[in-house]
Amino acid sequence: MAMTACDGKRGLVLEGGAMRGLFSAGVMDVMMANNVTFDGIIGVSAGACFGCNYKSHQPGRVIRYNLRYGRDPRYMGWRTLLRTGDLVGAEFAYHELPEKLDRFDKEAFERSPMEFVMVTTDVDTGTPVYYNMCEVTYQSLEWMRASASMPVVTKPVIVDDGRRMLDGGITDSIPLKYFREHGYGACIVVLTQPRDYFKRPVKKWFFDIALRKYPAVARAMAIRHEMYNEQLRYIDEEERAGRALVIAPERPLNISRIESDPQKMMRVYEYGRLTATELMPKICRFLAKTD
């Protein structure tokens, strides 16, 4: 029997997109302010890094630490890449910052009954791996780092079981289908590209060269546009069937993946807030179907 929007759990699905994720952060902060709750969240890349603050119920944290540390060379940027081999500073961004500088509320995260799943990509198989983060530990934060580790500009992350991982967006950019297959009947999907966006093929030769040490990842990158566009079609079908509600910017966000300009960051964040505020009646009606 087909699942309807009234069946199962309520989920939030978060696309990545690096600093485009500030749009999602704005959306989430408005939903938190309106006491919108979910049974689970699944996030990819920036969706994982920013979405964890929903489970810990820390509205405002994402934009606060990005504004404060966006231009800090320890956090992110080309200087970080040249110095460490990673575009985002591994220890600073994923450990020192959440543990000391802008504290991630570990206790609130672990108390919350909300499921929190992050998507990564296995470097050796080129397939998606789904990690259910129940506790905040050094190793679980390494899984989060893996979810957001973009190929070419980041080294693979070795997680606690010894596997090498990279960005989940390589193999499952918008994991609505995964949540649907795991009992989530009504899902809100937050995209960071406009609804008319269509991913175009990349130059295969570039990834064959740039990722020659990781051939499975190179193969996945070569067909990523097919995977992504098929996911967009699936999301459209689910929305027409009343099982999904999509929140997306109406226009391109025009923000760099490693944006550090406070005005640009705030513009994208506020756009997310405005979009969610306008859609809040629709969000509430959609989720009310599962009550």
Side-chain angles (χ1 to χ4, degrees):
M1 181 181 295
M3 184 180 289
T4 70
C6 296
D7 299 324
K9 299 173 288 186
R10 306 196 303 190
L12 177 61
V13 179
L14 301 169
E15 183 183 14
M19 297 307 280
R20 293 200 313 268
L22 290 173
F23 173 85
S24 305
V27 170
M28 287 188 287
D29 282 358
V30 168
M31 290 197 295
M32 279 191 273
N34 283 272
N35 298 313
V36 175
T37 60
F38 298 93
D39 297 294
I41 297 174
I42 186 165
V44 183
S45 194
C49 296
F50 296 168
C52 63
N53 295 280
Y54 209 112
K55 181 172 165 65
S56 64
H57 198 78
Q58 291 179 275
R61 180 173 179 268
V62 172
I63 188 64
R64 182 175 66 240
Y65 74 70
N66 275 286
L67 289 175
R68 183 173 182 181
Y69 296 106
R71 287 179 168 166
D72 191 318
R74 297 172 297 172
Y75 180 48
M76 178 175 61
W78 299 115
R79 283 183 292 175
T80 307
L81 176 64
L82 292 172
R83 189 177 71 251
T84 68
D86 290 319
L87 190 63
V88 177
E91 284 299 315
F92 181 82
Y94 291 96
H95 299 289
E96 184 176 353
L97 195 160
E99 293 168 10
K100 299 177 181 178
L101 302 177
D102 195 321
R103 186 175 175 274
F104 180 56
D105 195 335
K106 169 184 174 179
E107 293 77 14
F109 182 94
E110 294 177 354
R111 281 197 308 269
S112 169
M114 190 183 304
E115 184 178 28
F116 185 73
V117 180
M118 301 181 290
V119 188
T120 64
T121 294
D122 188 305
V123 166
D124 297 303
T125 65
T127 56
V129 176
Y130 304 88
Y131 179 80
N132 193 333
M133 183 175 170
C134 302
E135 298 178 310
V136 182
T137 64
Y138 188 94
Q139 284 300 328
S140 67
L141 292 173
E142 285 293 276
W143 277 93
M144 186 179 294
R145 179 164 77 92
S147 181
S149 291
M150 294 180 284
V152 181
V153 293
T154 312
K155 295 174 292 187
V157 178
I158 300 176
V159 293
D160 51 349
D161 60 3
R163 286 182 291 176
R164 299 183 299 169
M165 297 291 167
L166 280 173
D167 199 311
I170 298 168
T171 51
D172 194 353
S173 297
I174 316 168
L176 173 61
K177 183 173 287 187
Y178 178 87
F179 247 22
R180 296 284 292 137
E181 292 172 348
H182 287 77
Y184 284 85
C187 290
I188 290 179
V189 181
V190 183
L191 304 179
T192 58
Q193 296 281 16
R195 293 301 299 274
D196 60 356
Y197 177 77
F198 184 82
K199 189 174 287 296
R200 301 189 180 281
V202 296
K203 292 180 172 62
K204 182 177 181 298
W205 62 264
F206 171 78
F207 288 107
D208 285 343
I209 295 172
L211 297 168
R212 59 189 178 279
K213 294 182 180 179
Y214 317 116
V217 177
R219 289 193 295 271
M221 288 297 295
I223 61 171
R224 184 176 177 233
H225 65 288
E226 298 175 6
M227 174 271 296
Y228 187 90
N229 294 331
E230 177 56 36
Q231 289 187 329
L232 293 179
R233 286 189 286 271
Y234 176 74
I235 290 168
D236 286 343
E237 292 173 1
E238 290 294 289
E239 187 171 44
R240 286 195 297 271
R243 294 186 291 261
L245 174 64
V246 178
I247 301 175
E250 292 186 354
R251 58 184 183 273
L253 295 175
N254 294 325
I255 188 169
S256 165
R257 283 182 167 272
I258 56 170
E259 187 60 66
S260 62
D261 185 320
Q263 289 185 331
K264 293 180 180 179
M265 288 193 285
M266 183 59 77
R267 171 181 57 80
V268 171
Y269 170 76
E270 290 292 349
Y271 183 29
R273 288 189 60 90
L274 176 63
T275 301
T277 300
E278 293 175 345
L279 289 175
M280 190 51 58
K282 189 174 183 179
I283 291 169
C284 293
R285 287 194 302 270
F286 175 74
L287 292 176
K289 298 176 184 177
T290 62
D291 290 340

